Amino acid sequence: MMMAVAIAGFTACSDDKDGDGKGITGRWEATTDHELINDEWVLTDTYSAGQWEWEFTDGKLNEYWEGELEYSYSYSYSSKKKELTIAGIVAEVETLNATTLVVIQKSWDVDLETYKTTFVRK
């Protein structure tokens, strides 16, 4: 699920690092997407290596699809609130550690489905 929206004016904050010292900064590779259907997470997509990646650096989130830069967004992350704001859209960070990032967000289209995407640190 690609995030095609206009860029909003948010910047990364000093809260980008969690207890492991790495925090959200770095490159993350998507592995799976789940959709919340009838209060259960249902697998909707699996991604191959390098297919969909997020890179958090210098206050920007760069989104790559099959190795090509597709979009660049400003973002903010609050480890206290466990919230990731990308282009004005707030998502919940369910898991963030040295190897795994799990983000729960509403889709940005009309249907407003809820998705959980799992990334691994590259």
Side-chain angles (χ1 to χ4, degrees):
M1 149 182 291
M2 300 285 291
M3 295 201 283
V5 297
I7 296 174
F10 290 90
T11 59
C13 63
S14 61
D15 209 10
D16 284 353
K17 298 206 184 313
D18 276 346
D20 66 11
K22 293 182 181 178
I24 204 163
T25 304
R27 196 150 179 162
W28 298 89
E29 186 171 77
T31 58
T32 58
D33 256 341
H34 291 80
E35 183 178 351
L36 188 61
I37 300 173
N38 298 323
D39 294 324
E40 291 190 33
W41 290 109
V42 177
L43 180 67
T44 55
D45 284 302
T46 58
Y47 301 99
S48 58
Q51 187 174 4
W52 178 26
E53 297 176 356
W54 282 358
E55 181 180 35
F56 294 91
T57 180
D58 298 327
K60 292 286 183 192
L61 164 58
N62 295 316
E63 182 174 22
Y64 297 87
W65 187 255
E66 296 180 348
E68 299 293 323
L69 179 63
E70 291 288 319
Y71 302 101
S72 186
Y73 310 96
S74 294
Y75 79 93
S76 66
Y77 171 66
S78 170
S79 62
K80 289 180 180 92
K81 294 182 180 180
K82 293 190 161 233
E83 288 181 348
L84 175 62
T85 303
I86 305 169
I89 305 298
V90 178
E92 174 190 346
V93 175
E94 181 182 74
T95 304
L96 174 59
N97 58 42
T99 60
T100 306
L101 169 64
V102 179
V103 177
I104 299 173
Q105 66 187 27
K106 299 272 188 203
S107 67
W108 294 6
D109 58 20
V110 178
D111 297 331
L112 293 178
E113 296 99 349
T114 300
Y115 288 94
K116 181 191 297 194
T117 306
T118 301
F119 294 86
V120 295
R121 191 179 297 274
K122 207 165 168 188

